[in-house]
Amino acid sequence: MKNVKKLVEYVLLTLLAFFFIFPLLWMVSSSMKSEESIYQDLNSVQALLPSFQITEWLSTYTELFSRFDIGTYLFNSVFYALLVTAGAIVVNAMAGYAFAKFHFKGKNIMFSLLLAMLIIPVETIIITQFTIIHNLGLVDNRLAVIIPLIANAFFIYLFRNFFIAVPDSVIESAKMEGAGHWTIFWRIMLPMSKPAVATVGTLAFIGSWNDYIWPLMILTDSDKYPLQVAITSINATEPVFINQVMAILTISTIPLIIVYIVAQKYLLQGLSSSGSGQK
Amino acid sequence: MDLTKKQTRLKRWEGWKSSSLAFQAQPFYFLLPAIILLGLFLFLPALLTIYYAFTDYYLLTPDQRQFVGLRNFTQIFGDPVFLRSLQNITIFVVGIIIFQVGMSLGLALLINKQRRGNIFLKVAFFSPVVMSLVVISVLWLYLLNPTDGLVNSMLQAVGINAQPFLTSPNQAIYAIILVSVWQGAGYQMLIFLAGLQNIPGDVYEAARIDGAGKWKSFLHVTIPLLRPTTTLIVFTTLIAAFKLIIQPMIMTQGGPLNSTMTPIYYIYQTGFTDRLVGYSSAMTVVFGLLIVIVTFVQRRFAKEDL
């Protein structure tokens, strides 16, 4: 009786796991077969398996690379994401340091203002953000993809909380040695806050990698497209081959899998900023 | 200006300079990049949006914009598409709160039990989270295809008729809810799991000694002790759900018959595609205000938990 119960439990759990994983399996395996076999396999288990001929596995990818400039899109995505990540760490950590370790006039007011900014739903003001980029003459400029994503009130808050925990005596003794705030910031504060740096870095990287609407609005030249925008443009370029679409989906997912594996322990700390993944 | 006034002013300046040490000017330098960027891309646009909402700003002719008073606002409340989008987003938000939070709690409870192969379950439940919203939207567009979609062929294999899904005005929004729950639940599962593992084992032990069964200890130990985690998850999920745009944009373009049009998507369409910046700003103000109010109400309710 106990065994039967256990068996039922395992069957149900497997079904549940299947519900979560089958789209991913179908995506990857459909990218590794011809378009006709995708349709032929729809009614059998083979839908979730790649082609039985290993030589066919990469042919979709070679076709995709010869039709589209995938290398450029990949480079663009990596380029944007790395610059956003570096910028987000430095700019927000600097502001966080100022709020944590300096005493200056208006600090409390500025900090309340910062917390109030957390409430502004950024997604609603993209049109006005676009008019600003337009006035700055940055439409279709790579810079415009990057700079709006750098400063982030939540990241500043996160860094500030981390820096406050660093004892003042550490800073005092560094000052005695003749170090300025700039040196203290780079040599002591940042290296002592590796978890905060990793959390902000990971969230900024993923945020930039997944960004879609903003680059879609400001870029007109397809050579500057990041992968996310390239996906929908490939999916709209006739003739559309399902296996090639699945291949570009797979390509754009692989880097994120790596990021999630490397940085998994830092992701939970970012909950309050990224929410449910609806972003 | 007489001399004494000037002198005292100079003195005050000198005093301020020396009393403030060498570091006095530095917080400014450290804050400057963040102030410029947040000012330019968050603060200024928020203020400008409010101003634009009272004008007839057309994207291509910004210099000809004129003050039109409340015209945009009276117009949006008679705009059937905007009203429909508010209705749609309400369905979406309620659906997400019930199903996504419920699902993620359920998954966390399943994973929390010790058993062989748990790590595989965890990876499976979490796997949709690593895909971007663009990727999952395009992927499910094919999976939910009414004629050649894998989902329909699986349904038919177990004897269920093929469904129209995204092509039906009655089903499309629910299909989008399903896809969103599928994508997001794994992430919140991990947060619930962390919350569950923070509940000390001896509390359950005490409940067991008092004669509480599994169900009772779930109801009277797990649920109350998980409240701060639940509040946090509901809080963040709700606000994020209000901002739905990518899924309908890619999967349905807001259709069929505006049944999946969302406020942010409509704001994007009127402001960017139709270039009616003034009109779209008025919707932004109304909808943005709604989100801010919801945030405040939530904070009031959740004060003790956050």
Side-chain angles (χ1 to χ4, degrees):
Chain A
M1 189 56 207
K2 211 180 169 194
N3 275 335
V4 174
K5 214 178 148 192
K6 209 158 193 186
L7 187 73
V8 172
E9 188 188 323
Y10 269 89
V11 169
L12 288 178
L13 284 174
T14 312
L15 278 176
L16 191 62
F18 178 78
F19 167 71
F20 276 91
I21 203 122
F22 87 87
L24 188 68
L25 291 178
W26 187 72
M27 175 180 95
V28 177
S29 50
S30 296
S31 78
M32 296 162 83
K33 60 172 86 161
S34 67
E35 196 179 34
E36 305 91 79
S37 19
I38 294 179
Y39 288 118
Q40 280 162 15
D41 294 347
L42 270 184
N43 293 311
S44 71
V45 190
Q46 239 173 288
L48 303 177
L49 297 171
S51 166
F52 288 156
Q53 278 154 310
I54 296 178
T55 47
E56 272 191 3
W57 284 8
L58 288 178
S59 55
T60 314
Y61 289 86
T62 37
E63 284 158 27
L64 181 74
F65 273 78
S66 68
R67 264 186 85 197
F68 301 98
D69 204 350
I70 306 296
T72 305
Y73 301 140
L74 249 173
F75 169 81
N76 290 341
S77 273
V78 172
F79 176 77
Y80 298 141
L82 286 181
L83 282 183
V84 167
T85 307
I89 291 171
V90 173
V91 168
N92 297 309
M94 280 168 67
Y97 181 51
F99 280 121
K101 292 297 176 195
F102 286 107
H103 302 283
F104 56 92
K105 243 187 190 166
K107 178 168 136 176
N108 288 334
I109 296 170
M110 280 180 73
F111 193 65
S112 319
L113 205 63
L114 186 84
L115 293 184
M117 278 187 190
L118 283 172
I119 296 171
I120 300 178
V122 188
E123 291 81 353
T124 57
I125 55 172
I126 40 172
I127 305 295
T128 317
Q129 285 179 327
F130 179 81
T131 63
I132 287 174
I133 286 291
H134 187 79
N135 281 325
L136 292 173
L138 289 176
V139 173
D140 202 29
N141 189 314
R142 286 171 195 273
L143 257 184
V145 182
I146 298 163
I147 45 172
L149 295 186
I150 288 178
N152 179 309
F154 174 70
F155 291 166
I156 295 174
Y157 180 68
L158 206 139
F159 270 119
R160 174 227 177 226
N161 289 352
F162 222 90
F163 290 150
I164 276 185
V166 176
D168 283 339
S169 58
V170 176
I171 297 174
E172 287 308 318
S173 61
K175 271 188 203 163
M176 304 271 252
E177 307 272 322
H181 270 297
W182 192 238
T183 319
I184 296 173
F185 172 72
W186 281 104
R187 295 281 174 80
I188 299 173
M189 299 306 269
L190 273 187
M192 278 178 87
S193 326
K194 276 185 188 138
V197 171
T199 304
V200 169
T202 311
L203 291 173
F205 188 93
I206 295 172
S208 162
W209 188 273
N210 288 347
D211 201 13
Y212 174 67
I213 312 255
W214 181 246
L216 181 73
M217 283 172 80
I218 51 169
L219 295 178
T220 48
D221 176 5
S222 66
D223 284 346
K224 293 170 190 158
Y225 281 175
L227 275 170
Q228 305 302 318
V229 179
I231 288 171
T232 49
S233 118
I234 288 172
N235 194 36
T237 308
E238 296 291 338
V240 179
F241 298 107
I242 297 193
N243 53 352
Q244 292 184 11
V245 173
M246 293 305 142
I248 184 70
L249 295 186
T250 307
I251 290 171
S252 80
T253 304
I254 290 169
L256 279 191
I257 295 178
I258 298 169
V259 169
Y260 272 95
I261 291 173
V262 173
Q264 47 180 316
K265 68 172 169 183
Y266 301 113
L267 286 163
L268 281 184
Q269 297 170 25
L271 163 81
S272 339
S273 88
S274 57
S276 70
Q278 237 77 43
K279 198 176 172 269
Chain B
M1 195 187 285
D2 60 275
L3 204 70
T4 46
K5 228 178 189 175
K6 209 172 184 182
Q7 267 176 339
T8 47
R9 212 179 248 187
L10 198 72
K11 230 180 212 165
R12 211 184 288 153
W13 167 243
E14 290 288 326
W16 182 78
K17 238 167 72 178
S18 59
S19 74
S20 56
L21 301 166
F23 293 122
Q24 188 53 276
Q26 283 199 348
F28 183 66
Y29 295 127
F30 275 86
L31 282 170
L32 195 62
I35 289 177
I36 292 177
L37 289 173
L38 283 177
L40 210 53
F41 297 112
L42 196 62
F43 206 63
L44 183 65
L47 292 180
L48 280 178
T49 304
I50 297 173
Y51 162 61
Y52 290 163
F54 296 95
T55 69
D56 61 354
Y57 191 160
Y58 183 70
L59 190 60
L60 301 181
T61 52
D63 303 329
Q64 290 168 29
R65 66 168 177 260
Q66 275 174 350
F67 190 74
V68 294
L70 290 171
R71 199 182 74 191
N72 290 331
F73 290 94
T74 48
Q75 222 173 325
I76 58 171
F77 284 109
D79 182 340
V81 183
F82 183 63
L83 297 177
R84 182 69 205 258
S85 76
L86 289 177
Q87 186 192 333
N88 292 337
I89 202 68
T90 311
I91 297 174
F92 182 78
V93 167
V94 171
I96 285 291
I97 291 297
I98 294 171
F99 293 110
Q100 189 162 335
V101 177
M103 175 69 95
S104 54
L105 176 60
L107 295 179
L109 289 168
L110 281 176
I111 298 269
N112 197 33
K113 211 177 134 191
Q114 289 300 320
R115 76 165 70 73
R116 223 184 280 177
N118 238 358
I119 183 74
F120 293 108
L121 286 179
K122 205 167 163 180
V123 170
F125 298 155
F126 191 77
S127 63
V129 178
V130 305
M131 294 191 261
S132 75
L133 289 178
V134 173
V135 169
I136 64 129
S137 301
V138 174
L139 178 57
W140 279 90
L141 190 57
Y142 286 99
L143 286 169
L144 292 176
N145 187 306
T147 47
D148 317 301
L150 184 62
V151 173
N152 264 338
S153 70
M154 291 198 303
L155 286 182
Q156 281 166 319
V158 293
I160 300 172
N161 285 337
Q163 299 294 318
F165 297 121
L166 297 165
T167 55
S168 149
N170 298 322
Q171 290 188 0
I173 189 80
Y174 299 101
I176 290 179
I177 291 176
L178 175 90
V179 171
S180 306
V181 169
W182 168 83
Q183 197 265 345
Y187 185 66
Q188 289 148 354
M189 169 194 79
L190 288 191
I191 300 156
F192 267 128
L193 195 63
L196 283 172
Q197 284 164 354
N198 277 337
I199 301 174
D202 46 359
V203 185
Y204 286 110
E205 186 64 17
R208 202 179 56 83
I209 290 167
D210 287 346
K214 261 188 185 166
W215 178 241
K216 271 209 160 154
S217 75
F218 173 73
L219 223 56
H220 297 294
V221 177
T222 314
I223 292 292
L225 286 177
L226 216 51
R227 221 184 105 159
T229 315
T230 315
T231 309
L232 185 68
I233 289 177
V234 170
F235 194 101
T236 48
T237 312
L238 189 75
I239 298 301
F242 269 112
K243 301 172 186 169
L244 175 72
I245 171 167
I246 293 182
Q247 293 95 314
M249 193 174 179
I250 292 176
M251 297 168 88
T252 59
Q253 289 82 49
L257 302 173
N258 291 320
S259 62
T260 56
M261 181 56 80
T262 67
I264 304 262
Y265 188 26
Y266 194 49
I267 287 168
Y268 170 85
Q269 273 199 346
T270 46
F272 190 67
T273 318
D274 303 337
R275 297 168 179 156
L276 304 170
V277 178
Y279 189 65
S280 102
S281 296
M283 287 192 282
T284 301
V285 169
V286 170
F287 188 62
L289 215 59
L290 187 80
I291 296 184
V292 170
I293 291 170
V294 170
T295 311
F296 273 115
V297 170
Q298 263 187 332
R299 291 216 171 153
R300 186 49 61 88
F301 267 109
K303 216 163 197 176
E304 55 207 274
D305 293 325
L306 288 175

